[in-house]
Amino acid sequence: MNIFNEGKEQNIAQVINAKDKRVALQQKIFEKYPDQTLVDVNLNIPGPIKNNRYLEKLFNYGIKELENSWDKLGYSYKLVVSLDEDTGCEKFYILDLPIKTVKKTTIDFEDQTELGRLFDADVLVKDKNAAISRRDLGKQPRKCFICNRPAKECARSRRHSVVEMQNYISKLYTKNVK
């Protein structure tokens, strides 16, 4: 099964525009919740198809895993914005916890769940210009979901084709969601 056979293709301009909207939305959320920690969660999807009914199901399945991990830890969280756009699904959460505490949970989700490697969970506070990084916590960089090398290294060198990555994601969907 190939879950990338449907959906509206997105070009670079549309993806960049979505990122600009994300930053503006983050700023609006911080206006309402200035002293909270913000978690912005989306999928890392290669190729021009960024969303469709399969990717939405995959996203929601993974989100439930993240929320369940917070529930098990007794963390209180509030979903403040949920998006389902052609450029992808995205959820914004507010937590009244220290940024490092929250980042540890998102790293565990990304690294210790099978679907987590497909997710990008940025953790931010109002006073910082950027998200807290794995490096800030002394953690290793994200791993490629295909070969386990550093993900940025594989992306930069284009080590894996879009088709290869989409096939991997389709198999994950079939195994975990379908």
Side-chain angles (χ1 to χ4, degrees), residues 11-51:
N11 61 38
I12 294 293
Q14 290 165 312
V15 172
I16 290 171
N17 187 42
K19 286 183 180 185
D20 291 343
K21 286 181 180 178
R22 174 181 304 128
V23 170
L25 186 52
Q26 290 168 350
Q27 290 171 347
K28 282 186 180 181
I29 292 169
F30 279 132
E31 286 174 13
K32 188 170 183 179
Y33 303 96
D35 300 321
Q36 306 291 305
T37 299
L38 173 62
V39 179
D40 176 359
V41 187
N42 57 48
L43 285 171
N44 289 315
I45 300 297
I49 302 296
K50 303 293 185 190
N51 199 8

Side-chain angles (χ1 to χ4, degrees), residues 137-161:
L137 297 179
K139 300 288 186 178
Q140 294 295 314
R142 288 178 71 101
K143 301 281 186 191
C144 171
F145 49 74
I146 293 180
C147 71
N148 278 328
R149 288 185 178 110
K152 285 186 180 181
E153 178 185 305
C154 289
R156 209 173 311 125
S157 68
R158 299 190 187 269
R159 181 171 281 122
H160 312 290
S161 71

Side-chain angles (χ1 to χ4, degrees), residues 3-84:
I3 66 171
F4 293 91
N5 286 336
E6 62 182 63
K8 290 183 181 177
E9 289 191 9
Q10 300 298 294
N11 61 38
I12 294 293
Q14 290 165 312
V15 172
I16 290 171
N17 187 42
K19 286 183 180 185
D20 291 343
K21 286 181 180 178
R22 174 181 304 128
V23 170
L25 186 52
Q26 290 168 350
Q27 290 171 347
K28 282 186 180 181
I29 292 169
F30 279 132
E31 286 174 13
K32 188 170 183 179
Y33 303 96
D35 300 321
Q36 306 291 305
T37 299
L38 173 62
V39 179
D40 176 359
V41 187
N42 57 48
L43 285 171
N44 289 315
I45 300 297
I49 302 296
K50 303 293 185 190
N51 199 8
N52 60 33
R53 62 188 168 127
Y54 303 111
L55 291 169
E56 183 179 348
K57 282 182 185 177
L58 185 72
F59 179 78
N60 288 329
Y61 188 91
I63 284 293
K64 283 182 183 152
E65 287 184 333
L66 177 61
E67 289 176 351
N68 286 340
S69 74
W70 288 337
D71 290 340
K72 286 178 186 173
L73 291 166
Y75 292 174
S76 176
Y77 57 90
K78 180 178 182 177
L79 175 64
V80 290
V81 177
S82 182
L83 302 175
D84 183 4

Side-chain angles (χ1 to χ4, degrees), residues 103-132:
K103 183 63 177 180
K104 286 176 186 171
T105 67
T106 62
I107 290 172
D108 288 346
F109 165 68
E110 291 172 352
D111 290 350
Q112 297 175 10
T113 64
E114 193 168 29
L115 293 179
R117 293 172 118 186
L118 301 178
F119 283 77
D120 186 19
D122 290 335
V123 181
L124 308 106
V125 292
K126 185 176 182 181
D127 296 338
K128 285 196 152 213
N129 290 332
I132 187 172

